[in-house]
Amino acid sequence: MNTGTEPVTLTRKGDTSTMEKLHNYINGKLVAPQSGKYFDNYQPATGKVYSLIPDSGAADVQLAVDAANAAFPAWANTPAEKRAKIIMRIAALIERDLERLAKAESKDNGKPVELARRVDIPRAVSNFEFFATAVMHYASESHAMEDSAINYTLRQPIGVVGCISPWNLPLYLFTWKIAPALAAGNCVVAKPSEVTPMTAFLLSELCIEAGLPAGVLNIVHGTGPGAGQAIVEHPEIKAISFTGGTKTGAGIARTAAPMFKKLSLELGGKNPNIIFADCDFDQALKITMQSSFANQGQICLCGSRIFVERPIYEKFRDAFVAKTKELKPGNPGDEKTRLGAVVSQSHMEKILSYIDLAQQEGGKILAGGKRVMLDGEFSEGWYIEPTIIEGLAFDCRTNQEEIFGPVVSIMPFDTEEEALNMANSTSYGLAAIVWTQHLTRAHRVASKLQSGIVWINCWLLRDLRTPFGGVKQSGVGREGGFNALNFFTEAKNVCIKL
Ligand code: NAD
């Protein structure tokens, strides 16, 4: 099999290095970009380039669309059970290669290998397994009009669809989109983030091995303005499922809406974590460490604004600060590391600029606040201390804008109403976390939070059947379970007069 990884020799600042070249996956084959151009892929742990990414554009997307169009009639007419079998084979191969994929994800993204092994790669397996089996239970509605007519709904695949994903959970989110699209009978043109393309490339090798028919899934690597924009603009790509930043999502909507494409947008967040005095203190503290700093705070569901009820404010703050000071960034490839590198130099600079802004806005740094320089080969890696900021107004920029790093702010509150006002004050509405033992308050607060997802006394507990998505500027539409299969199909009502 062509692995697409033949070495190339590059000259960079006098250095000659041999690097792996990633390939696009188009029409069942691993191919070079039409332009012949590549750009650098960095390893966040070291800050060094370690592989090369195809700089694809409209010509590559056109080849992918042609392949997908050609494959569509046969794939759409393949019985769901047979499609499911092929998709299950992909899941099994990911599981077989779990260790290799976890290491690749950690190297490409900077996340601890322990996290990639425990969460990212197993979830990619689950995504394929879940939608392969879901489609076999996917039934459509029938509406009888007494003795005059009967209606039934056909749910047919859309055709060629586009899936565009971000860098924070690379294979996890890439497969979360591709799996339902394929299971529902569509052919896909997909683009992973150019910041973390490696596991999508490895997936293309596994799809070939699994016997996925040529053209059913096409993976085009490249930048957002290049390959991404070409996917969004292509008139034969009829739906776009996008996860990424709110600003990018707005641009995609501007392009896709006048073309009447179906759109699913999963965007940014600035999630509140509301801790009432009657919470299970130890659990709240333990899980708040995770919801603040897991994946270096680069999960759209992290709780970056922590509101603590006044009677336990100081106790919680001091315990949280003490635990945070124990959490040290380290080499993501080390089994013991629980906080790795942030994904890129520009992202590190953005996070540090928000820490500066927070201080200008009157915030006091209780823990962290600085870049960390490790030793040896990791001395140029992108590490930031886990950071807690106190003393900020709830409506300042630091508390309103998405930072997407290991940085949280902590604030006291006196009443439930005040906590809700502060929690709901941002333009985002993705997820919220509530800690309380008070049953009716838990339900009341959940119903009043402006948020697509509310976790009570837990965080990131995911059932793939549930609706997933945000309100306000956190997105449009819902993924998960049959929502995703509904998105990737068109409903057609057929009315028969009796
Ligand atoms: P991003 O918006 O910069 O990029 C996301 C993807 O869009 C990448 O593949 C990128 O190449 C592509 N892209 C960029 N410009 C494009 C264009 N003009 N046309 C088409 N595609 C384009 O986001 P990011 O920095 O990769 O990811 C971080 C963001 O993602 C954060 O805001 C985070 O909250 C959000 N996110 C949201 C969810 C969710 O489920 N709501 C999940 C994870 C991440």
Side-chain angles (χ1 to χ4, degrees), residues 125-145:
V125 175
S126 303
N127 288 340
F128 280 117
E129 288 178 345
F130 178 84
F131 285 108
T133 48
V135 78
M136 291 192 285
H137 302 267
Y138 187 42
S140 63
E141 311 90 54
S142 162
H143 300 87
M145 299 169 69

PDB file of all heavy atoms in Angstrom, residues 125-145:
ATOM      1  N   VAL A 125     -13.313   5.906  17.686  1.00  0.00           N
ATOM      2  CA  VAL A 125     -13.863   4.555  17.501  1.00  0.00           C
ATOM      3  C   VAL A 125     -15.370   4.591  17.764  1.00  0.00           C
ATOM      4  O   VAL A 125     -16.183   4.127  16.954  1.00  0.00           O
ATOM      5  CB  VAL A 125     -13.183   3.538  18.467  1.00  0.00           C
ATOM      6  CG1 VAL A 125     -13.833   2.166  18.355  1.00  0.00           C
ATOM      7  CG2 VAL A 125     -11.687   3.457  18.207  1.00  0.00           C
ATOM      8  N   SER A 126     -15.757   5.186  18.893  1.00  0.00           N
ATOM      9  CA  SER A 126     -17.185   5.251  19.263  1.00  0.00           C
ATOM     10  C   SER A 126     -18.003   6.003  18.227  1.00  0.00           C
ATOM     11  O   SER A 126     -19.141   5.628  17.954  1.00  0.00           O
ATOM     12  CB  SER A 126     -17.379   5.958  20.605  1.00  0.00           C
ATOM     13  OG  SER A 126     -16.670   5.333  21.591  1.00  0.00           O
ATOM     14  N   ASN A 127     -17.449   7.067  17.681  1.00  0.00           N
ATOM     15  CA  ASN A 127     -18.207   7.836  16.684  1.00  0.00           C
ATOM     16  C   ASN A 127     -18.604   6.949  15.509  1.00  0.00           C
ATOM     17  O   ASN A 127     -19.760   6.958  15.064  1.00  0.00           O
ATOM     18  CB  ASN A 127     -17.381   9.019  16.172  1.00  0.00           C
ATOM     19  CG  ASN A 127     -17.225  10.120  17.202  1.00  0.00           C
ATOM     20  OD1 ASN A 127     -18.004  10.209  18.148  1.00  0.00           O
ATOM     21  ND2 ASN A 127     -16.212  10.955  17.024  1.00  0.00           N
ATOM     22  N   PHE A 128     -17.646   6.188  14.997  1.00  0.00           N
ATOM     23  CA  PHE A 128     -17.959   5.311  13.858  1.00  0.00           C
ATOM     24  C   PHE A 128     -18.919   4.196  14.281  1.00  0.00           C
ATOM     25  O   PHE A 128     -19.884   3.899  13.575  1.00  0.00           O
ATOM     26  CB  PHE A 128     -16.670   4.725  13.256  1.00  0.00           C
ATOM     27  CG  PHE A 128     -15.955   5.693  12.339  1.00  0.00           C
ATOM     28  CD1 PHE A 128     -14.686   6.158  12.636  1.00  0.00           C
ATOM     29  CD2 PHE A 128     -16.552   6.136  11.160  1.00  0.00           C
ATOM     30  CE1 PHE A 128     -14.021   7.050  11.791  1.00  0.00           C
ATOM     31  CE2 PHE A 128     -15.902   7.023  10.306  1.00  0.00           C
ATOM     32  CZ  PHE A 128     -14.633   7.484  10.620  1.00  0.00           C
ATOM     33  N   GLU A 129     -18.646   3.594  15.441  1.00  0.00           N
ATOM     34  CA  GLU A 129     -19.533   2.496  15.891  1.00  0.00           C
ATOM     35  C   GLU A 129     -20.939   3.009  16.142  1.00  0.00           C
ATOM     36  O   GLU A 129     -21.927   2.368  15.757  1.00  0.00           O
ATOM     37  CB  GLU A 129     -18.982   1.874  17.187  1.00  0.00           C
ATOM     38  CG  GLU A 129     -17.729   1.048  16.963  1.00  0.00           C
ATOM     39  CD  GLU A 129     -17.145   0.472  18.245  1.00  0.00           C
ATOM     40  OE1 GLU A 129     -17.526   0.923  19.349  1.00  0.00           O
ATOM     41  OE2 GLU A 129     -16.281  -0.405  18.140  1.00  0.00           O
ATOM     42  N   PHE A 130     -21.016   4.159  16.768  1.00  0.00           N
ATOM     43  CA  PHE A 130     -22.332   4.702  17.134  1.00  0.00           C
ATOM     44  C   PHE A 130     -23.186   4.948  15.886  1.00  0.00           C
ATOM     45  O   PHE A 130     -24.345   4.523  15.818  1.00  0.00           O
ATOM     46  CB  PHE A 130     -22.154   6.004  17.927  1.00  0.00           C
ATOM     47  CG  PHE A 130     -23.464   6.640  18.290  1.00  0.00           C
ATOM     48  CD1 PHE A 130     -24.146   6.228  19.429  1.00  0.00           C
ATOM     49  CD2 PHE A 130     -24.032   7.616  17.496  1.00  0.00           C
ATOM     50  CE1 PHE A 130     -25.365   6.782  19.757  1.00  0.00           C
ATOM     51  CE2 PHE A 130     -25.253   8.182  17.825  1.00  0.00           C
ATOM     52  CZ  PHE A 130     -25.916   7.771  18.960  1.00  0.00           C
ATOM     53  N   PHE A 131     -22.626   5.628  14.886  1.00  0.00           N
ATOM     54  CA  PHE A 131     -23.457   5.972  13.724  1.00  0.00           C
ATOM     55  C   PHE A 131     -23.649   4.783  12.781  1.00  0.00           C
ATOM     56  O   PHE A 131     -24.672   4.708  12.092  1.00  0.00           O
ATOM     57  CB  PHE A 131     -22.905   7.205  13.011  1.00  0.00           C
ATOM     58  CG  PHE A 131     -23.208   8.463  13.779  1.00  0.00           C
ATOM     59  CD1 PHE A 131     -22.210   9.148  14.447  1.00  0.00           C
ATOM     60  CD2 PHE A 131     -24.505   8.943  13.871  1.00  0.00           C
ATOM     61  CE1 PHE A 131     -22.489  10.300  15.182  1.00  0.00           C
ATOM     62  CE2 PHE A 131     -24.807  10.083  14.611  1.00  0.00           C
ATOM     63  CZ  PHE A 131     -23.796  10.757  15.265  1.00  0.00           C
ATOM     64  N   ALA A 132     -22.699   3.849  12.778  1.00  0.00           N
ATOM     65  CA  ALA A 132     -22.894   2.636  11.972  1.00  0.00           C
ATOM     66  C   ALA A 132     -24.102   1.864  12.494  1.00  0.00           C
ATOM     67  O   ALA A 132     -24.913   1.337  11.719  1.00  0.00           O
ATOM     68  CB  ALA A 132     -21.643   1.761  12.024  1.00  0.00           C
ATOM     69  N   THR A 133     -24.250   1.804  13.808  1.00  0.00           N
ATOM     70  CA  THR A 133     -25.388   1.055  14.371  1.00  0.00           C
ATOM     71  C   THR A 133     -26.643   1.923  14.388  1.00  0.00           C
ATOM     72  O   THR A 133     -27.743   1.427  14.150  1.00  0.00           O
ATOM     73  CB  THR A 133     -25.063   0.560  15.797  1.00  0.00           C
ATOM     74  OG1 THR A 133     -24.531   1.651  16.542  1.00  0.00           O
ATOM     75  CG2 THR A 133     -24.042  -0.556  15.775  1.00  0.00           C
ATOM     76  N   ALA A 134     -26.483   3.246  14.614  1.00  0.00           N
ATOM     77  CA  ALA A 134     -27.664   4.125  14.671  1.00  0.00           C
ATOM     78  C   ALA A 134     -28.451   4.077  13.363  1.00  0.00           C
ATOM     79  O   ALA A 134     -29.679   4.069  13.365  1.00  0.00           O
ATOM     80  CB  ALA A 134     -27.229   5.566  14.970  1.00  0.00           C
ATOM     81  N   VAL A 135     -27.724   4.026  12.255  1.00  0.00           N
ATOM     82  CA  VAL A 135     -28.426   4.122  10.973  1.00  0.00           C
ATOM     83  C   VAL A 135     -29.306   2.887  10.734  1.00  0.00           C
ATOM     84  O   VAL A 135     -30.301   2.960  10.006  1.00  0.00           O
ATOM     85  CB  VAL A 135     -27.420   4.376   9.816  1.00  0.00           C
ATOM     86  CG1 VAL A 135     -26.682   3.096   9.411  1.00  0.00           C
ATOM     87  CG2 VAL A 135     -28.110   5.006   8.626  1.00  0.00           C
ATOM     88  N   MET A 136     -28.974   1.798  11.405  1.00  0.00           N
ATOM     89  CA  MET A 136     -29.803   0.597  11.236  1.00  0.00           C
ATOM     90  C   MET A 136     -31.097   0.683  12.050  1.00  0.00           C
ATOM     91  O   MET A 136     -31.998  -0.127  11.880  1.00  0.00           O
ATOM     92  CB  MET A 136     -28.996  -0.647  11.614  1.00  0.00           C
ATOM     93  CG  MET A 136     -27.888  -0.905  10.596  1.00  0.00           C
ATOM     94  SD  MET A 136     -27.149  -2.503  10.775  1.00  0.00           S
ATOM     95  CE  MET A 136     -26.161  -2.254  12.216  1.00  0.00           C
ATOM     96  N   HIS A 137     -31.168   1.671  12.942  1.00  0.00           N
ATOM     97  CA  HIS A 137     -32.383   1.855  13.749  1.00  0.00           C
ATOM     98  C   HIS A 137     -33.083   3.160  13.385  1.00  0.00           C
ATOM     99  O   HIS A 137     -33.911   3.645  14.141  1.00  0.00           O
ATOM    100  CB  HIS A 137     -32.019   1.859  15.239  1.00  0.00           C
ATOM    101  CG  HIS A 137     -31.326   0.621  15.667  1.00  0.00           C
ATOM    102  ND1 HIS A 137     -31.995  -0.460  16.189  1.00  0.00           N
ATOM    103  CD2 HIS A 137     -30.031   0.252  15.588  1.00  0.00           C
ATOM    104  CE1 HIS A 137     -31.121  -1.426  16.423  1.00  0.00           C
ATOM    105  NE2 HIS A 137     -29.924  -1.019  16.069  1.00  0.00           N
ATOM    106  N   TYR A 138     -32.693   3.716  12.265  1.00  0.00           N
ATOM    107  CA  TYR A 138     -33.181   5.047  11.881  1.00  0.00           C
ATOM    108  C   TYR A 138     -34.495   4.847  11.127  1.00  0.00           C
ATOM    109  O   TYR A 138     -34.498   4.364   9.997  1.00  0.00           O
ATOM    110  CB  TYR A 138     -32.123   5.687  10.989  1.00  0.00           C
ATOM    111  CG  TYR A 138     -32.347   7.129  10.622  1.00  0.00           C
ATOM    112  CD1 TYR A 138     -32.795   8.053  11.558  1.00  0.00           C
ATOM    113  CD2 TYR A 138     -32.076   7.575   9.335  1.00  0.00           C
ATOM    114  CE1 TYR A 138     -32.966   9.376  11.209  1.00  0.00           C
ATOM    115  CE2 TYR A 138     -32.237   8.891   8.980  1.00  0.00           C
ATOM    116  CZ  TYR A 138     -32.687   9.791   9.930  1.00  0.00           C
ATOM    117  OH  TYR A 138     -32.858  11.106   9.590  1.00  0.00           O
ATOM    118  N   ALA A 139     -35.591   5.203  11.768  1.00  0.00           N
ATOM    119  CA  ALA A 139     -36.901   5.003  11.147  1.00  0.00           C
ATOM    120  C   ALA A 139     -37.487   6.356  10.780  1.00  0.00           C
ATOM    121  O   ALA A 139     -37.116   7.380  11.349  1.00  0.00           O
ATOM    122  CB  ALA A 139     -37.811   4.290  12.129  1.00  0.00           C
ATOM    123  N   SER A 140     -38.384   6.383   9.840  1.00  0.00           N
ATOM    124  CA  SER A 140     -39.011   7.661   9.504  1.00  0.00           C
ATOM    125  C   SER A 140     -40.478   7.634   9.896  1.00  0.00           C
ATOM    126  O   SER A 140     -41.046   6.592  10.221  1.00  0.00           O
ATOM    127  CB  SER A 140     -38.820   7.978   8.031  1.00  0.00           C
ATOM    128  OG  SER A 140     -39.468   7.016   7.264  1.00  0.00           O
ATOM    129  N   GLU A 141     -41.098   8.813   9.847  1.00  0.00           N
ATOM    130  CA  GLU A 141     -42.447   8.947  10.377  1.00  0.00           C
ATOM    131  C   GLU A 141     -43.505   8.606   9.328  1.00  0.00           C
ATOM    132  O   GLU A 141     -43.250   8.652   8.131  1.00  0.00           O
ATOM    133  CB  GLU A 141     -42.709  10.387  10.846  1.00  0.00           C
ATOM    134  CG  GLU A 141     -41.651  10.989  11.744  1.00  0.00           C
ATOM    135  CD  GLU A 141     -40.551  11.708  10.981  1.00  0.00           C
ATOM    136  OE1 GLU A 141     -40.856  12.588  10.164  1.00  0.00           O
ATOM    137  OE2 GLU A 141     -39.373  11.364  11.193  1.00  0.00           O
ATOM    138  N   SER A 142     -44.688   8.334   9.841  1.00  0.00           N
ATOM    139  CA  SER A 142     -45.853   8.172   8.967  1.00  0.00           C
ATOM    140  C   SER A 142     -47.009   8.910   9.633  1.00  0.00           C
ATOM    141  O   SER A 142     -47.150   8.866  10.857  1.00  0.00           O
ATOM    142  CB  SER A 142     -46.158   6.680   8.837  1.00  0.00           C
ATOM    143  OG  SER A 142     -47.468   6.509   8.371  1.00  0.00           O
ATOM    144  N   HIS A 143     -47.786   9.641   8.830  1.00  0.00           N
ATOM    145  CA  HIS A 143     -48.902  10.411   9.378  1.00  0.00           C
ATOM    146  C   HIS A 143     -50.173  10.026   8.621  1.00  0.00           C
ATOM    147  O   HIS A 143     -50.317  10.365   7.446  1.00  0.00           O
ATOM    148  CB  HIS A 143     -48.664  11.921   9.243  1.00  0.00           C
ATOM    149  CG  HIS A 143     -47.426  12.378   9.954  1.00  0.00           C
ATOM    150  ND1 HIS A 143     -46.174  12.371   9.359  1.00  0.00           N
ATOM    151  CD2 HIS A 143     -47.233  12.840  11.208  1.00  0.00           C
ATOM    152  CE1 HIS A 143     -45.276  12.808  10.226  1.00  0.00           C
ATOM    153  NE2 HIS A 143     -45.886  13.098  11.350  1.00  0.00           N
ATOM    154  N   ALA A 144     -51.071   9.351   9.300  1.00  0.00           N
ATOM    155  CA  ALA A 144     -52.319   8.922   8.656  1.00  0.00           C
ATOM    156  C   ALA A 144     -53.371  10.011   8.807  1.00  0.00           C
ATOM    157  O   ALA A 144     -53.515  10.594   9.884  1.00  0.00           O
ATOM    158  CB  ALA A 144     -52.808   7.639   9.295  1.00  0.00           C
ATOM    159  N   MET A 145     -54.094  10.308   7.722  1.00  0.00           N
ATOM    160  CA  MET A 145     -55.197  11.281   7.779  1.00  0.00           C
ATOM    161  C   MET A 145     -56.510  10.498   7.730  1.00  0.00           C
ATOM    162  O   MET A 145     -57.146  10.407   6.672  1.00  0.00           O
ATOM    163  CB  MET A 145     -55.102  12.255   6.597  1.00  0.00           C
ATOM    164  CG  MET A 145     -53.813  13.067   6.583  1.00  0.00           C
ATOM    165  SD  MET A 145     -53.587  13.948   5.026  1.00  0.00           S
ATOM    166  CE  MET A 145     -54.882  15.178   5.131  1.00  0.00           C
TER     167      MET A 145
END
